[in-house]
Every structure is written in C-alpha cells, then in structure tokens.
C-alpha cells in the first residue's frame, strides 16, 4: 500500500496519457447536479457515490463493454480512471453487485434531466435546433435463450411463452432488411428504444425505452408533447418512416407543431385494384364496372362501383359466372369501393422533389442508431426494463458528451466519432 501511495503521489505519470485526457474532457461535459450524490438514508454507511458510479458506466459504454464484470476488471487495472470517476482508489472499488443495484435502482427521470441539460447546452451553442427532426426506433434484444438463433424451440416466439429470465420484455418484430423491395421481418423478445433526432447535427434530442410490443405510432404523440414542453418543436419539419403513417400523427404535426410531416404512405396490406384510365374498376371477369354513387365523410370520399349486368335477367351474361351474380336478388353481381382521402395526410404529394429531399434526411436516424448500438447496447446483459432503460439513456448521454467535448476542443469533425476524439485527446 505504501508503494502504491508513492506512485499515486506522482500524478503526472497518469494524467498525461491520452486515455485519461479523453475521459477528463468527457466528464467535464456532464453536470450531475440533478442526480443525488448519495442515497437518501438516515441509517448506515453512505455507500459509494452515485456520481462516481455513473461516471464508471460512462467509461463502460465508451469502452463498448457489455458486461459489468468487464467494467469491474477494467477499473481495477486502471486506477487513475477510477480516481477520475470519484472513487477512493486506496480502498476496495465497488463490486459487481454494487454496480448492478445502481443501474437497476437509479431513477431514469434523473438521468433524462441530465440528458435534457446537455441538449439545451448544444442548442445554446447553435449545434442543435428544431428545423428538421426525425423519429425512429431500434430493437434492443433481451438476454434470453429465446433470441438465440441456435435455439430450435418451436414455441419460442409465442406470446404466452414469456422468457423466465426477463419478465419485463415483450414479443416484437423488427425489419431484417433495408431493401425497399424485400419484405423480411424477424420476431424477437426484448425492447424498443425510441429516439427523436436532430436530422442536421445527427444528435439525439429525446429518447425512451418501451417493451417491444409498443408500436411506433402509439408512442409518437406522447413523445412529441413531452419534448415540446421543454424543447420547442413549433415549425419543425417532422420526418419518420411509414411505421408512423397515421392520420392522428399527421394532424398533430400540422395542428400542434404548425409544420409538415414527411412520412411515406403505408399501404398496410391493401391490394391495389385494377383501374381503367377513366378510373373505373375492372372486375374479375375483366369488365369495366359502373359508378353507382358515392358517400361523403369528414376525411374521405367513398365511391361505389357495381356490376355492368346488375339488372340483367340473363344468367349467362357474366362470363366469370361469379357467385355474387347468382345471389338470388334483384340487383346482382359484384360491388367494389374506392376510398379517396380528403384530409391532410391524403393531400401530401409524396412524389415531389421537395418531399423526397426532406425525407432523405431520415437516413441520419439510421446512422445514429448504428453508432449508438456500437456502444454494446443492442444486446445488453441486463434482464429488466429499469436497467436496460438506464443503460440506453447513458448511451445517448455518451454520444452527447462526445459532441460537447469535441466542440469545446475545436474538433468539430469529431462530434459524431468516439474513436476520432479519443485519438485527438492529448
């Protein structure tokens, strides 16, 4: 112990290396005033500092570590970084169970407030604004054998077969291909991380984690209302993929945010009808159906089409001999309907150059999700929604801290790159 004390007295041996300089810069961007330093308890020892434990998890994500055991070993072998976190390096460092309890029990709202402060700081610096925002979700896989591709259990993706290792996760589906022409989806047990992003800077504004069975559309309006209460989204161009294509979201963006939504149409399994140039539907027999009146609703018009032999008494008139032609009624034959929307969602010209140029900014969400998942967050080792939500939020704080540290260091080209900022640290 005496020899270790002599070594630590020569602090320059540790403070001048690139690794320590990088973490010093990152920690300087994190204001932990919204997180209590010690648990509120009238009895017993104080325990380890929450601030020190939080900084340790920042190191864990920057090192792209997936398991707490890796973090414990890393800190034990890098005592100066443990000292930067705020631990007393001449005493025992926290054990695995201490870190596990902390990440499970810390209030997610407290660290979300920390993230909000970072976002507002970047807004003051002019690096984040509300001109173009995009919303997307990314899957987070539960730590369960049900997600193991080598597991050949036939019932592993049944809703009533809840994994015993994680009672909070839910069954969801994610796209397994980015191709527009290839519809490939995969089931998984886990969670979703919903992220609202500044599409210009490529940095997150807000995030939250939900079970995987939460649809993108049902999470959108509450998320936008939350963000709009502290980060104005008025007149923000809202960009999202077709999973967010609902009338409610379009109307909310137009009426509440006073701007336009850039969301492609989602056909939702509708089969396109064969039409003549004049707009008449072609029936199964290849004949043009006749228009037979229309109904007007507040947000759509419903046009009815009927069989051209509707009033015919000739049983051989229908060449297809359709079952509806022999219905025993006075008006016989098939009927078809075409619904044309008259609301804001239906009025958007999605083939225009303006729409396509704005919608192209959505790829920034894909790039950000890729960088975020690279912090070992796509397949966490934790097995409850509290721990996973906190780890996800810490991952986003890491991304914002890197951007703030790069701006303060006049390394604007490193705002999105963890590795670049690490290399430039001196």
């Amino acid at each position: 112990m005496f020899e270790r004390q002599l070594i630590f007295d020569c602090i320059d041996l540790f403070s001048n290396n690139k690794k320590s300089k990088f973490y010093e810069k990152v920690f300087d961007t994190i204001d932990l005033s919204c997180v209590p330093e010690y648990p509120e308890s009238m009895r017993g020892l104080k325990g380890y500092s929450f601030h020190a434990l939080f900084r340790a998890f920042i190191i864990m994500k920057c090192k792209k570590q997936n398991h707490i055991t890796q973090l414990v070993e890393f800190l034990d072998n890098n005592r100066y970084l443990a000292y930067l976190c705020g631990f007393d390096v001449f005493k025992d460092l926290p054990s695995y169970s201490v870190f596990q309890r902390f990440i499970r029990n810390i209030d997610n709202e407290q660290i979300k407030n920390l993230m909000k402060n970072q976002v507002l700081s970047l807004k003051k610096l002019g690096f984040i604004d509300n001109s173009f925002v995009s919303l997307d979700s990314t899957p987070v896989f539960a730590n369960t054998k049900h997600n193991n591709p080598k597991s050949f259990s036939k019932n592993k993706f049944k809703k009533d077969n809840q994994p015993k290792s994680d009672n909070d996760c839910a069954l969801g589906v994610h796209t397994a291909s980015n191709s527009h022409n290839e519809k490939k989806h995969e089931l998984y047990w886990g969670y979703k991380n919903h992220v609202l992003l500044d599409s210009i800077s490529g940095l997150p504004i807000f995030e939250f984690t939900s079970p995987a069975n939460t649809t993108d559309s049902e999470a959108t309006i509450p998320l936008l209302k939350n963000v709009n209460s502290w980060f104005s989204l008025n007149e923000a161009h809202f960009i999202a993929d077709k999973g967010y294509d609902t009338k409610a979201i379009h109307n909310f963006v137009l009426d509440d945010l006073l701007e336009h939504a850039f969301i492609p149409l989602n056909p939702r399994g509708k089969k396109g009808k064969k039409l003549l140039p004049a707009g008449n539907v072609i029936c199964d027999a290849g004949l043009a159906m006749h228009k037979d009146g229309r109904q007007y609703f507040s947000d759509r018009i419903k046009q009815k089409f009927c069989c051209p032999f509707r009033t015919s008494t000739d049983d051989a008139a229908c060449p297809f001999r359709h079952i509806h032609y022999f219905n025993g009624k006075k008006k016989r034959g098939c009927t078809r309907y075409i619904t044309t929307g008259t609301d804001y969602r239906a009025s958007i010209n999605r083939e225009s150059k303006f729409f396509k140029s704005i919608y192209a900014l959505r790829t920034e969400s894909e790039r950000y999700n890729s960088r975020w998942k690279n912090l070992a967050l796509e397949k966490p080792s934790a097995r409850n929604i509290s721990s996973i939500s906190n780890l996800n939020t810490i991952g986003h704080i890491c991304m914002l801290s890197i951007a703030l540290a790069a701006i303060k260091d006049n390394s604007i080209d490193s705002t999105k790159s963890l590795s670049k900022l690490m290399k430039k640290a001196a």
Side-chain angles (χ1 to χ4, degrees):
M1 180 62 72
F2 177 71
E3 290 80 1
R4 180 179 289 182
Q5 177 68 57
L6 291 176
I7 293 172
F8 271 91
D9 284 343
C10 302
I11 201 69
D12 291 339
L13 293 174
F14 304 94
S15 59
N16 288 329
N17 65 71
K18 289 186 177 182
K19 188 189 297 184
S20 61
K21 285 291 184 183
F22 167 78
Y23 288 111
E24 286 174 5
K25 291 176 181 179
V26 169
F27 291 162
D28 284 344
T29 66
I30 300 174
D31 180 11
L32 290 167
S33 59
C34 53
V35 178
E37 186 167 6
Y38 292 98
E40 296 179 1
S41 176
M42 299 297 293
R43 297 180 180 179
L45 299 174
K46 284 186 178 180
Y48 293 97
S49 165
F50 280 2
H51 294 183
L53 292 167
F54 183 87
R55 294 188 190 101
F57 275 99
I58 294 291
I59 290 179
M60 177 182 175
K61 291 298 102 185
C62 287
K63 293 296 295 180
K64 304 175 185 178
Q65 295 170 344
N66 195 28
H67 299 277
I68 292 176
T69 51
Q70 294 172 302
L71 172 63
V72 172
E73 183 180 357
F74 180 79
L75 290 177
D76 191 48
N77 294 328
N78 296 269
R79 291 277 170 157
Y80 183 70
L81 295 185
Y83 167 77
L84 285 181
C85 291
F87 297 117
D88 186 345
V89 293
F90 300 109
K91 296 181 180 179
D92 290 337
L93 294 179
S95 63
Y96 172 90
S97 59
V98 173
F99 283 112
Q100 188 183 46
R101 282 196 301 271
F102 170 78
I103 201 63
R104 183 180 65 242
N105 296 332
I106 188 173
D107 187 357
N108 188 252
E109 285 302 315
Q110 291 176 350
I111 55 177
K112 268 194 173 63
N113 288 334
L114 190 159
M115 181 178 169
K116 289 178 185 178
N117 293 337
Q118 288 185 314
V119 171
L120 294 174
S121 296
L122 286 163
K123 184 180 180 181
K124 287 181 181 178
L125 293 169
F127 206 75
I128 284 182
D129 63 25
N130 65 348
S131 301
F132 302 91
V133 296
S134 59
L135 182 60
D136 198 11
S137 66
T138 188
V140 178
F141 298 88
N143 184 9
T144 170
K145 65 179 182 180
H146 290 53
N147 286 331
N148 189 342
K150 293 183 179 180
S151 173
F152 297 103
S153 173
K154 294 181 180 179
N155 301 323
K156 66 180 182 178
F157 289 129
K158 285 195 172 181
K159 289 183 179 180
D160 56 353
N161 189 19
Q162 180 74 28
K164 295 180 181 178
S165 59
D166 190 340
N167 294 323
D168 297 331
C169 69
L171 185 63
V173 61
H174 72 98
T175 304
S177 172
N178 287 328
S179 173
H180 295 289
N181 300 323
E182 182 183 0
K183 293 182 179 179
K184 187 178 178 183
H185 299 87
E186 291 182 355
L187 294 172
Y188 74 101
W189 286 96
Y191 307 88
K192 277 184 181 180
N193 188 244
H194 308 262
V195 187
L196 185 70
L197 193 81
D198 174 15
S199 299
I200 302 301
S201 66
L203 293 172
I205 297 173
F206 186 76
E207 64 82 34
F208 83 96
T209 301
S210 69
N213 58 358
T214 304
T215 63
D216 292 341
S217 56
E218 69 180 284
T220 301
I221 294 178
L223 184 150
L224 294 177
K225 285 182 177 179
N226 184 328
V227 175
N228 198 35
S229 65
W230 58 272
F231 183 94
S232 175
L233 293 177
N234 290 338
E235 301 183 359
H237 296 74
F238 179 73
I239 309 165
D241 61 30
K242 62 183 180 181
Y244 299 86
D245 178 35
T246 66
K247 292 180 181 179
I249 292 175
H250 278 86
N251 292 337
F252 178 82
V253 173
L254 181 67
D255 298 335
D256 292 63
L257 304 185
L258 308 176
E259 246 312 335
H260 294 295
F262 296 82
I263 307 171
L265 279 175
N266 188 346
R268 290 186 171 85
K270 293 182 181 178
K271 294 182 179 179
K273 298 180 176 66
K274 294 181 180 179
L275 301 176
L276 291 175
N280 295 65
V281 177
I282 300 175
C283 71
D284 294 339
L287 304 174
M289 302 182 76
H290 295 173
K291 292 182 179 180
D292 188 28
R294 60 179 61 179
Q295 290 177 284
Y296 292 87
F297 299 91
S298 60
D299 58 351
R300 65 193 186 279
I301 299 173
K302 191 175 183 180
Q303 175 69 59
K304 182 180 179 182
F305 292 86
C306 67
C307 176
F309 306 113
R310 180 178 58 165
T311 58
S312 174
T313 57
D314 183 5
D315 289 345
C318 178
F320 193 73
R321 299 187 64 80
H322 201 285
I323 187 173
H324 291 162
Y325 190 70
F326 300 95
N327 57 12
K329 298 179 180 179
K330 184 177 180 180
K331 294 183 179 181
R332 59 202 305 187
C334 304
T335 56
R336 297 286 186 273
Y337 296 91
I338 290 182
T339 302
T340 304
T342 57
D343 58 353
Y344 166 61
R345 171 176 172 263
S347 69
I348 299 172
N349 181 7
R350 292 172 174 82
E351 298 301 319
S352 68
K353 290 183 178 179
F354 176 68
F355 179 91
K356 290 180 178 180
S357 63
I358 301 298
Y359 182 70
L361 295 174
R362 199 194 72 82
T363 56
E364 193 60 49
S365 284
E366 301 287 352
R367 287 191 285 270
Y368 176 79
N369 287 338
S370 178
R371 296 196 304 272
W372 178 80
K373 288 188 288 188
N374 195 39
L375 302 179
L377 288 161
E378 187 177 25
K379 297 179 179 180
S381 59
R383 291 178 172 176
N384 57 80
I385 193 169
S386 298
S387 299
I388 290 173
S389 297
N390 290 331
L391 285 170
N392 290 345
T393 306
I394 289 173
H396 293 293
I397 289 172
C398 282
M399 304 302 284
L400 291 168
S401 299
I402 290 164
L404 282 166
I407 292 170
K408 290 182 179 180
D409 201 35
N410 293 322
S411 302
I412 305 301
D413 59 328
S414 303
T415 53
K416 300 179 186 179
S417 177
L418 170 64
S419 58
K420 269 189 181 181
L421 191 62
M422 274 189 171
K423 288 177 182 177
K424 287 186 177 181

